[in-house]
Amino acid sequence: MSKIITKVKKIQITLMFLGLMSLTACNESESNQDEVESVDKKSAIETELSVKHIDTADVLITKHKIWKNNKLFKEIVKTDTIPSLGDTLQIVEDEAGDEHQAKVKKDYEFYITVQ
């Protein structure tokens, strides 16, 4: 069993032909050396998780692409409404390069177990 702990908004996991890819914990300040640049489409399940912020709630989006013999066999997209974590104050930079405080939606952390 591989455990993957990550703090990024978006994560992509690929289960490859000969076994499971094992990713280490990472955060936004580290470079993601284990990031997959291409998928072995002979036999893989490509999974993408993301959270979209809406007014008073968040939407968890789960996408699966099932690859077999270099062809996309099936794509499954599932959405679920989940509670918002609220706002936090952060320093942001505008288009002119000026920094100021702004309310930003808090993000969920993803904890994924692959068996």
Side-chain angles (χ1 to χ4, degrees):
M1 176 183 358
S2 286
K3 286 191 180 184
I4 303 168
I5 300 174
T6 185
K7 291 184 178 182
V8 292
K9 287 183 179 179
K10 225 173 187 184
I11 183 171
Q12 203 171 40
I13 303 168
T14 304
L15 302 176
M16 299 189 98
F17 178 65
L18 296 175
L20 301 176
M21 276 195 67
S22 175
L23 301 177
T24 59
C26 65
N27 63 36
E28 293 169 341
S29 65
E30 296 176 339
S31 65
N32 190 350
Q33 296 175 356
D34 293 328
E35 186 173 330
V36 176
E37 293 183 16
S38 65
V39 177
D40 180 1
K41 296 177 181 176
K42 292 178 188 172
S43 58
I45 299 172
E46 182 179 357
T47 300
E48 182 181 311
L49 301 174
S50 62
V51 175
K52 180 179 179 183
H53 301 295
I54 55 176
D55 294 333
T56 59
D58 289 339
V59 177
L60 173 64
I61 303 164
T62 307
K63 297 179 184 179
H64 302 286
K65 290 182 181 178
I66 293 91
W67 297 96
K68 181 181 177 189
N69 299 328
N70 296 316
K71 293 181 184 174
L72 181 60
F73 173 74
K74 188 173 192 177
E75 190 167 3
I76 303 164
V77 179
K78 187 175 178 185
T79 58
D80 293 296
T81 303
I82 56 178
S84 172
L85 296 175
D87 296 331
T88 186
L89 283 176
Q90 286 187 356
I91 305 229
V92 295
E93 189 174 310
D94 62 19
E95 293 176 5
D98 299 325
E99 291 184 348
H100 58 89
Q101 278 193 339
K103 284 186 180 181
V104 177
K105 297 280 186 187
K106 290 182 184 177
D107 289 321
Y108 276 91
E109 295 180 11
F110 289 96
Y111 295 86
I112 301 169
T113 301
V114 179
Q115 297 181 342

